[in-house]
Amino acid sequence: MGRDSQPSPDSGPHCALLPNCAELERRYDVDRMRADLAAFTARSGSPFSAASGRRVLPLRSIAGDPYRTDSGGPSLTGFQDTPWLRHLPYFREILRGLPAPVRAARLWAAGPGGRDMTLRSAKLGPSWGLCRVHIPVVSGPWSQVVFFAERHHWPAGSLWFAAAWREYAVVNQGDRELIHLVVDLHQTKDLSALFPRPLRGTLAGPHALRLRPPVPLPEPQAFLRRFRLPESFANWERPGHLLYAEARRLRSAPPGALVPAEVAYADDGPVLVLADRPFCGLEHIGGGEFRLRGWSDERTLQFTGPPDAAVLLRLRDGPRTYRVALPTAPVANSAPAAD
C-alpha cells in the first residue's frame, strides 16, 4: 500500500520481511563485561529488581529511574542513564559506542533450572523506527532463544537483533544464571549497516522508519495551539491504522468524544498537554512537525499555515503513512502545570 492510501486491517505485512533474529557485525569483550558486573555486585550487593520471575538492572530508563525496568515510551523527560551505569564503565562504553540513540537498556538475568522467560514489546521494530538488540554476557550451550518453534543459541559477546514485536522466549536450561544486556534503540542508517548484507537493502528502503534529527524551532509562539485528539493517541502501542480510523470517525463528533489537547511551553521546550495534564515533550523535526519525546517518528503532529489552520496527525507503519487533519485554534503562551 502506498503513502496516504486507505488503511488496511492488516497491521503490517512488511514486518515479515525481517527475520526473527540476526547476528550483527560487532563483538564485545566477555571478560571485561563479567569483570564489570563482578566489581559492581561486590560494591552494591544485588540491586537487580525482580520483574516477572527474572532479575533486571536498568542502565537507561525514563528520567534515569534506577528501578524502572520497562521499554518506556513518550515522556516529559526522555531517557537518561541510571545511577547504576556510573559503576559499570565497560557497559557504559558499549552503550556509547552503539551507532544509534539508546532508549532503554538493562541487564536481564534468568536463574538456572529450565527457566523460560517470554519477551515481547509492541511496535519495537524498524517498521516503527525502533530496534532491540541483545548482547549475551553469561551464556552457553545450555541457553536458547526461541521464536515459536525456531531455536537459536547466541554466544556470549555477540550482538543480536531481535524481532521484539513478535513473542520470543529466553530459555535457561543450565545450572548457572543467564545474563543478557538488552538494549532498545532508535533505527538509524548506521545501525542498519551492522546487519547482514542481505538485510541492508530492506532496512534502507521504506520498510524501516529512520529517526530524523531535531531542527531548531524558529518561532515557538507560532505553534501554540488548542485542539482535540482521540484519547487513544496517548497509547503509543495502538496500531496506527486503528488510531487513524478512530480520528477520522471522531473529528466531526461532539466535543466530548475527543480529549482536549494543547501545545504549551516549559523551560526545555514545547509540551503536549492532554486533558489538562502534561503528557510528553515535543521535538521539532522540521516544517512545523513534532514527534513525541521518547518515541520515534511513528506518530507526529504538524502545524502549518495560520494559527487557525488544522493540525495534521501523521501515523507511520513501515511504508504506510496515515494522515488526518483535526481542527485547531491559537492559544496564549502558558507553562504546563506540574505533573
Side-chain angles (χ1 to χ4, degrees):
M1 180 179 292
R3 289 187 180 275
D4 303 325
S5 51
Q6 293 300 308
S8 160
D10 190 329
S11 62
H14 47 276
C15 294
L17 296 173
L18 292 171
N20 288 329
C21 64
E23 185 172 9
L24 307 189
E25 294 182 356
R26 191 162 287 189
R27 302 284 296 189
Y28 298 96
D29 189 321
V30 175
D31 292 336
R32 287 184 67 189
M33 287 194 293
R34 293 177 183 175
D36 239 24
L37 194 51
F40 174 78
T41 302
R43 172 191 175 98
S44 306
S46 183
F48 279 67
S49 299
S52 303
R54 66 204 75 174
R55 298 195 308 132
V56 185
L57 183 73
L59 304 185
R60 276 183 66 82
S61 64
I62 290 179
D65 187 331
Y67 301 105
R68 184 161 180 170
T69 62
D70 63 307
S71 297
S75 69
L76 292 168
T77 57
F79 291 89
Q80 300 172 18
D81 295 348
T82 70
W84 310 125
L85 190 58
R86 292 199 299 268
H87 306 295
L88 293 160
Y90 186 51
F91 286 101
R92 188 169 64 246
E93 180 182 323
I94 289 172
L95 295 181
R96 298 288 187 273
L98 289 167
V102 176
R103 293 163 46 77
R106 56 256 184 221
L107 284 164
W108 183 96
R115 298 289 182 89
D116 181 345
M117 300 298 174
T118 301
L119 301 171
R120 183 178 178 272
S121 293
K123 288 191 176 179
L124 219 162
S127 294
W128 304 279
L130 305 174
C131 184
R132 173 173 290 172
V133 297
H134 283 240
I135 302 173
V137 179
V138 178
S139 182
W142 36 269
S143 67
Q144 292 184 327
V145 180
V146 181
F147 289 85
F148 294 101
E150 186 179 311
R151 294 176 175 267
H152 303 268
H153 168 62
W154 296 350
S158 55
L159 177 65
W160 288 82
F161 156 76
W165 66 95
R166 301 170 186 154
E167 188 171 284
Y168 68 108
V170 179
V171 182
N172 182 5
Q173 296 178 321
D175 57 3
R176 58 188 300 197
E177 193 167 53
L178 168 69
I179 301 176
H180 282 198
L181 174 62
V182 182
V183 187
D184 297 330
L185 304 148
H186 288 282
Q187 187 68 37
T188 65
K189 179 180 177 181
D190 290 340
L191 180 61
S192 298
L194 297 183
F195 278 70
R197 192 170 298 277
L199 294 178
R200 294 177 195 171
T202 298
L203 294 170
H207 300 288
L209 183 62
R210 287 169 292 281
L211 188 72
R212 287 176 285 175
V215 175
L217 200 56
E219 298 179 50
Q221 299 297 321
F223 299 102
L224 295 174
R225 296 287 196 281
R226 281 198 182 102
F227 48 100
R228 290 182 176 270
L229 287 171
E231 185 176 8
S232 59
F233 181 82
N235 178 4
W236 58 91
E237 294 184 339
R238 185 173 176 81
H241 70 278
L242 295 180
L243 181 54
Y244 167 83
E246 182 180 17
R248 283 182 58 88
R249 177 175 57 83
L250 294 177
R251 65 180 173 179
S252 58
L258 294 166
V259 173
E262 179 180 337
V263 175
Y265 274 83
D267 293 339
D268 59 347
V271 171
L272 178 62
V273 179
L274 295 178
D276 299 320
R277 289 186 60 83
F279 171 60
C280 69
L282 294 173
E283 297 177 343
H284 183 234
I285 52 179
E289 187 175 7
F290 296 81
R291 66 167 164 253
L292 312 184
R293 179 181 295 166
W295 194 236
S296 70
D297 294 7
E298 181 266 344
R299 63 188 58 192
T300 63
L301 298 165
Q302 187 172 22
F303 306 96
T304 59
D308 59 351
V311 55
L312 184 62
L313 173 60
R314 277 193 178 89
L315 302 147
R316 297 175 174 89
D317 186 353
R320 300 169 172 170
T321 298
Y322 308 118
R323 308 182 187 193
V324 60
L326 300 169
T328 183
V331 298
N333 189 12
S334 62
D339 192 7

